[in-house]
Amino acid sequence: MDRVSKEAGHDARDTPAHQAAADEAPLHEATVSAPVNIAVIKYWGKRDSKLILPTNSSLSVTLSQDHLRTRTTVRAAAEFSSDRLWLNGVEEDVAASARLCNVIATARQLRAAMEQADSTAPRLSTWGLHVCSENNFPTAAGLASSASGYAALVSALGALFELPQSATELSRVARVGSGSACRSMLGGFVAWQAGTMDDGSDSLAEQVAARAHWPQLQALVLVVSDRKKTVSSTAGMQTTVSTSPLFAERVRSVVPHRMAAMRAAIVARDFATFATLAMQDSNQFHAVCQDTFPPIAYMNDTSHAITSLVHAFNAAVGRVAAAYTYDAGPNAVLFVLRDDMRALVQLLTRCFPRPAAMSADAFYADPFAVFASPDLAGRDIDDPAVTALADSVGSFAAGSVRRIIHTEVGDGPRVLPSSESLLNHAGMPKHARE
Amino acid sequence: MDRVSKEAGHDARDTPAHQAAADEAPLHEATVSAPVNIAVIKYWGKRDSKLILPTNSSLSVTLSQDHLRTRTTVRAAAEFSSDRLWLNGVEEDVAASARLCNVIATARQLRAAMEQADSTAPRLSTWGLHVCSENNFPTAAGLASSASGYAALVSALGALFELPQSATELSRVARVGSGSACRSMLGGFVAWQAGTMDDGSDSLAEQVAARAHWPQLQALVLVVSDRKKTVSSTAGMQTTVSTSPLFAERVRSVVPHRMAAMRAAIVARDFATFATLAMQDSNQFHAVCQDTFPPIAYMNDTSHAITSLVHAFNAAVGRVAAAYTYDAGPNAVLFVLRDDMRALVQLLTRCFPRPAAMSADAFYADPFAVFASPDLAGRDIDDPAVTALADSVGSFAAGSVRRIIHTEVGDGPRVLPSSESLLNHAGMPKHARE
């Protein structure tokens, strides 16, 4: 192997003549974007923590990359002396992350197999990699950045290496980076089959239905302010597995039924069943967190108030018109059909007034811009019961909900044109930060 | 039966001569006080809601009546035209409470059996009753007033009627008023055996150990501010039984082991085991509430912060030195051994500053008066780890914890002298309120 750091700047080959030759060589690079997903049957607990094999199957909705996404560029070059990675402009230590190393090594193995079969293929598997990744949302907001991040990385490696594997097959690789990342390898509605094999070969993501299957289904992401440090999901779920007396019952008796019922509800576009199961499974996930020792509380008072508001909204309109779900943090994702969206948003924005001042980051210029959406314009709460409800609930502290993101079901990872590359000619980030 | 309302004032017998005769007749009256109790293995769920038969056994600590108690006077008089009850000076509609009627009727039956056996006994079972009851804590504070209230009522009826039944036997009667009231019929450490009989005859409270068994054990009641309306425990537990998929597993597999282990820990005065089981069972109770549909959240952000602080305290001192438990509300009860009390209180009062202004009710002139306790005077946090912890945690909003009540294990209901009666000569409350 012959890797040279261009950054060192003292290499003998870094001459004008050599540079000109490099300019003419084709770039081995791919840029992709990948979506976040939100589980409606929750993943919590591993049966193998190195391979990230879960204790139970889970099912998620992929959210639109138009609103939340990770974009990643991967370049392979013989000149790269080592693998390097920049996340939102800041370099990370690749060697320090066993999961990251595992993912890269696995993708290289798949490439190496191709190279063995085709002697004309460039030996990309032996070259260094530069990876540059950017989220269009704050990592700290708890919006599943590791899922979209590893899905983007694996998809980019698949494109760079021209791997023949399907998205489902590559979901095994993404899974090794972050369990829920395997579900971000596909669009629409996605099941992560727990599998039973020790090597994880049957623990992968499959599409239950495509994005276009249920165009009426929309989502609101409510970013909730929180002062607490939270327990990482990796640490939290292992503590649950080892200390919660109720957890095994969830895995054994509850999830299998719910997986089947949720799949059927999605196929039938049965919103009431979909919504009820999503709420119940979110609740049970947080129940087993509370049954953990020491207990884990990801939801806060604002989260619980949103839960109560959704149940009150459903009671007011006399049907299951909205659902909530919460991951390992206080943020809520609400599901609602298009026709009910405006009433729900008006209710939420009356009960959770917009923050007086915006926080420093500018990911969302106007977090309450949902009203500008064509879907919502020109419609109002026409249900007297909902209006009365908003008046009766009163309002919570301004800024308890910091942002409202109106989104919908999305597609899987997208390969982007080279003009979208995040790396400059020298293979360094275009948008570096200190 | 010949009951005359003195309040009507028009009865022919309400003459001076008759009145003089009544003055000389002995009063049939009893005044008692009864304690609150806090469950360390939780009662949640009924198998029979009329008889209040629980789905599982539970175990509690009776708290001292010197700090929290209900005082109740019961008087029987042939002149009372109907049963009347005043709670904290306000008359309640006896007939509107099926449980109250059940309790009074059951006590009358026990009295009637005595009267049948002894023809000289006054026919108290046929007379009207006036009941006057006062708590020394705000009912709204969520401090288990129904438990101490029904225990006081049944104990007062037992004294008034001179019933031969033991406290354990009478706990069946208290149970019909409020399940957890049966445990307030005894002091010390009390087990409520779920029983298996359909008539509830084996569902009663038994003393595991007397108050004097473990004098080192002390408690802090932290009254937490809350803006929410809470779900009543009666409604909440029935929803849990009918909707939580995890609840049956708790009843079947978890509680029986914990009851045996908790009993053994108390007998052995093994604080670490006692504390760990208490925390785990409180957590699991709130977990099955969260697994209920719609979910029930009794704990709030302040409660969860207290939980975290207790775990951090234990980590800082390197042993299980304190335990928390929460009932159907945000208030915490902490258990701690006497030698660790001052360090814990100093930690709590640094992290939860006293309210700027006291609330209107004056049940506790100084809610943070715990430092005046002889047990705490003159000692300080001498553990550097605890001091560092207080500094690292920082402080929560002043008034998040409204009151801190320092108490200990207490005795069972006490019969008080007639000078403590809450009823005046006419059988009306001494301290009536509008």
Side-chain angles (χ1 to χ4, degrees):
Chain A
M1 206 177 306
D2 183 14
R3 292 183 193 166
V4 177
S5 166
K6 297 189 73 163
E7 288 68 52
H10 298 299
D11 191 85
R13 288 175 303 177
D14 196 10
T15 60
H18 177 79
Q19 191 66 49
D23 287 350
E24 286 158 23
L27 276 182
H28 291 284
E29 181 184 282
T31 299
V32 305
S33 77
V36 304
N37 72 79
I38 178 77
V40 289
I41 301 295
K42 298 295 188 189
Y43 156 53
W44 194 251
K46 299 183 181 74
R47 59 186 167 90
D48 180 313
S49 58
K50 180 163 187 303
L51 294 173
I52 309 193
L53 303 180
T55 52
N56 57 266
S57 298
S58 56
L59 201 151
S60 62
V61 179
T62 299
L63 299 181
S64 171
Q65 292 167 73
D66 295 343
H67 307 111
L68 298 168
R69 62 166 165 71
T70 298
R71 193 165 51 155
T72 297
T73 297
V74 179
R75 188 184 298 175
E79 293 80 14
F80 292 161
S81 63
S82 64
D83 296 334
R84 298 180 66 180
L85 179 143
W86 293 264
L87 186 56
N88 295 321
V90 178
E91 184 160 15
E92 306 281 325
D93 181 3
V94 173
S97 169
R99 292 179 172 195
L100 185 58
C101 293
N102 274 355
V103 165
I104 292 172
T106 306
R108 278 204 175 105
Q109 285 166 12
L110 296 175
R111 170 70 189 184
M114 280 179 61
E115 292 167 1
Q116 283 212 309
D118 175 5
S119 63
T120 68
R123 291 320 196 231
L124 303 188
S125 69
T126 65
W127 298 355
L129 292 170
H130 281 195
V131 181
C132 190
S133 191
E134 292 181 2
N135 302 322
N136 73 336
F137 52 87
T139 303
L143 292 171
S145 58
S146 67
S148 57
Y150 274 105
L153 173 63
V154 171
S155 300
L157 289 169
L160 169 69
F161 290 159
E162 298 180 319
L163 299 178
Q165 281 83 5
S166 68
T168 284
E169 289 169 321
L170 288 178
S171 75
R172 286 193 203 99
V173 186
R175 191 201 71 224
V176 173
S178 173
S180 58
C182 73
R183 298 187 312 239
S184 276
M185 293 296 288
L186 293 154
F189 303 84
V190 181
W192 174 12
Q193 303 299 341
T196 57
M197 309 281 285
D198 285 344
D199 67 357
S201 55
D202 59 347
S203 184
L204 38 70
E206 296 172 333
Q207 192 176 65
V208 171
R211 169 192 202 172
H213 168 71
W214 200 351
Q216 290 298 314
L217 189 69
Q218 302 205 322
L220 291 175
V221 180
L222 308 188
V223 181
V224 168
S225 295
D226 201 23
R227 59 167 277 172
K228 284 185 307 181
K229 288 174 292 184
T230 53
V231 178
S232 81
S233 57
T234 297
M237 68 174 73
Q238 287 317 96
T239 313
T240 299
V241 171
S242 58
T243 66
S244 166
L246 300 180
F247 177 71
E249 177 71 2
R250 162 170 169 75
V251 170
R252 183 174 55 235
S253 303
V254 181
V255 174
H257 293 291
R258 285 188 179 164
M259 280 295 291
M262 180 61 90
R263 186 185 285 266
I266 289 166
V267 169
R269 290 185 282 268
D270 172 355
F271 183 78
T273 303
F274 168 85
T276 301
L277 288 167
M279 292 188 281
Q280 289 173 331
D281 208 66
S282 174
N283 292 340
Q284 186 167 92
F285 155 49
H286 293 281
V288 297
C289 287
Q290 174 64 33
D291 191 44
T292 298
F293 195 74
I296 307 168
Y298 287 123
M299 296 171 69
N300 65 18
D301 286 351
T302 304
S303 315
H304 289 294
I306 294 166
T307 291
S308 297
L309 199 63
V310 167
H311 282 287
F313 178 71
N314 290 342
V317 300
R319 60 198 159 82
V320 184
Y324 52 78
T325 186
Y326 303 83
D327 276 351
N331 297 334
V333 176
L334 306 187
F335 289 104
V336 59
L337 296 180
R338 189 179 298 261
D339 289 348
D340 292 316
M341 178 60 88
R342 189 170 177 85
L344 181 61
V345 167
Q346 290 210 349
L347 178 64
L348 288 167
T349 52
R350 281 170 69 164
C351 296
F352 296 99
R354 58 189 302 155
M358 292 301 303
S359 60
D361 67 82
F363 281 97
Y364 304 105
D366 181 357
F368 285 65
V370 283
F371 287 114
S373 156
D375 285 338
L376 299 179
R379 301 178 60 189
D380 211 338
I381 301 180
D382 50 6
D383 187 332
V386 174
T387 308
L389 174 62
D391 292 341
S392 73
V393 168
S395 69
F396 294 83
S400 303
V401 173
R402 287 191 292 133
R403 293 190 165 74
I404 299 182
I405 302 161
H406 176 204
T407 188
E408 60 195 351
V409 187
D411 55 357
R414 302 171 183 167
V415 176
L416 302 178
S418 59
S419 58
E420 300 286 320
S421 173
L422 298 172
L423 292 172
N424 64 19
H425 181 84
M428 297 295 286
K430 288 179 178 171
H431 315 293
R433 289 198 300 182
E434 285 308 299
Chain B
M1 204 177 310
D2 185 14
R3 292 186 191 163
V4 177
S5 165
K6 297 190 74 162
E7 288 67 53
H10 299 300
D11 190 87
R13 288 177 303 179
D14 198 9
T15 60
H18 178 79
Q19 190 66 48
D23 287 349
E24 287 158 22
L27 275 183
H28 292 285
E29 182 184 280
T31 298
V32 305
S33 76
V36 304
N37 70 80
I38 178 77
V40 289
I41 302 294
K42 298 295 187 188
Y43 155 52
W44 195 251
K46 299 182 181 75
R47 59 185 167 91
D48 181 313
S49 57
K50 181 167 188 301
L51 294 174
I52 309 193
L53 303 179
T55 51
N56 57 267
S57 298
S58 55
L59 201 151
S60 63
V61 179
T62 298
L63 299 182
S64 171
Q65 292 167 74
D66 295 343
H67 307 110
L68 298 168
R69 61 165 165 72
T70 298
R71 191 165 52 155
T72 296
T73 297
V74 179
R75 188 183 300 174
E79 292 80 12
F80 293 160
S81 65
S82 63
D83 297 334
R84 298 178 67 179
L85 178 142
W86 293 263
L87 186 57
N88 294 321
V90 177
E91 183 159 17
E92 306 282 323
D93 180 3
V94 173
S97 169
R99 292 179 172 193
L100 185 57
C101 293
N102 274 354
V103 165
I104 292 172
T106 305
R108 278 204 175 102
Q109 286 167 13
L110 297 175
R111 171 70 189 183
M114 281 179 59
E115 292 167 2
Q116 282 212 312
D118 175 4
S119 62
T120 67
R123 290 320 194 231
L124 302 188
S125 68
T126 65
W127 297 355
L129 292 169
H130 281 195
V131 181
C132 191
S133 191
E134 292 180 2
N135 302 322
N136 72 337
F137 52 87
T139 302
L143 293 171
S145 57
S146 67
S148 57
Y150 274 105
L153 174 63
V154 171
S155 301
L157 288 168
L160 169 70
F161 290 160
E162 298 179 320
L163 299 178
Q165 282 82 6
S166 69
T168 283
E169 290 168 320
L170 288 178
S171 75
R172 287 194 202 98
V173 186
R175 190 201 70 222
V176 173
S178 174
S180 58
C182 72
R183 297 187 312 239
S184 276
M185 294 295 288
L186 293 154
F189 302 84
V190 182
W192 175 10
Q193 304 298 342
T196 57
M197 309 282 283
D198 285 344
D199 67 357
S201 55
D202 59 348
S203 183
L204 38 71
E206 296 172 332
Q207 193 176 65
V208 171
R211 170 192 200 172
H213 168 71
W214 200 351
Q216 291 298 315
L217 189 69
Q218 301 205 323
L220 291 175
V221 180
L222 308 189
V223 181
V224 168
S225 295
D226 201 24
R227 58 166 278 170
K228 284 184 307 179
K229 288 174 292 185
T230 54
V231 178
S232 81
S233 58
T234 298
M237 69 175 72
Q238 287 316 96
T239 312
T240 299
V241 171
S242 58
T243 67
S244 166
L246 300 180
F247 178 71
E249 176 71 2
R250 162 170 170 75
V251 170
R252 183 175 56 235
S253 303
V254 180
V255 174
H257 293 292
R258 285 187 179 165
M259 280 295 291
M262 181 61 90
R263 185 184 286 266
I266 290 166
V267 168
R269 290 185 282 267
D270 171 356
F271 183 78
T273 303
F274 168 85
T276 301
L277 287 167
M279 293 189 278
Q280 289 173 333
D281 208 65
S282 175
N283 294 339
Q284 186 166 92
F285 155 48
H286 293 281
V288 298
C289 287
Q290 174 64 33
D291 191 44
T292 299
F293 195 74
I296 306 168
Y298 287 123
M299 296 171 69
N300 65 18
D301 286 352
T302 303
S303 315
H304 290 294
I306 294 166
T307 291
S308 297
L309 200 61
V310 168
H311 283 287
F313 178 72
N314 290 341
V317 300
R319 59 197 160 83
V320 184
Y324 52 79
T325 186
Y326 303 84
D327 275 350
N331 296 336
V333 176
L334 307 188
F335 289 104
V336 60
L337 295 181
R338 189 180 300 261
D339 290 346
D340 292 315
M341 179 61 90
R342 188 168 178 87
L344 181 62
V345 167
Q346 289 209 348
L347 178 64
L348 287 167
T349 52
R350 281 170 68 163
C351 296
F352 296 99
R354 58 191 300 157
M358 293 300 302
S359 60
D361 67 82
F363 281 97
Y364 304 106
D366 181 357
F368 285 67
V370 285
F371 287 114
S373 157
D375 285 338
L376 299 179
R379 301 179 58 190
D380 211 337
I381 301 181
D382 50 6
D383 187 332
V386 174
T387 308
L389 175 61
D391 291 341
S392 72
V393 168
S395 69
F396 294 83
S400 303
V401 173
R402 287 192 292 134
R403 291 190 167 75
I404 298 181
I405 302 161
H406 176 203
T407 187
E408 59 194 352
V409 186
D411 56 356
R414 303 171 183 168
V415 176
L416 303 179
S418 59
S419 58
E420 300 285 321
S421 172
L422 299 171
L423 292 171
N424 64 20
H425 182 85
M428 298 296 286
K430 289 178 179 171
H431 315 292
R433 288 198 301 181
E434 286 305 301

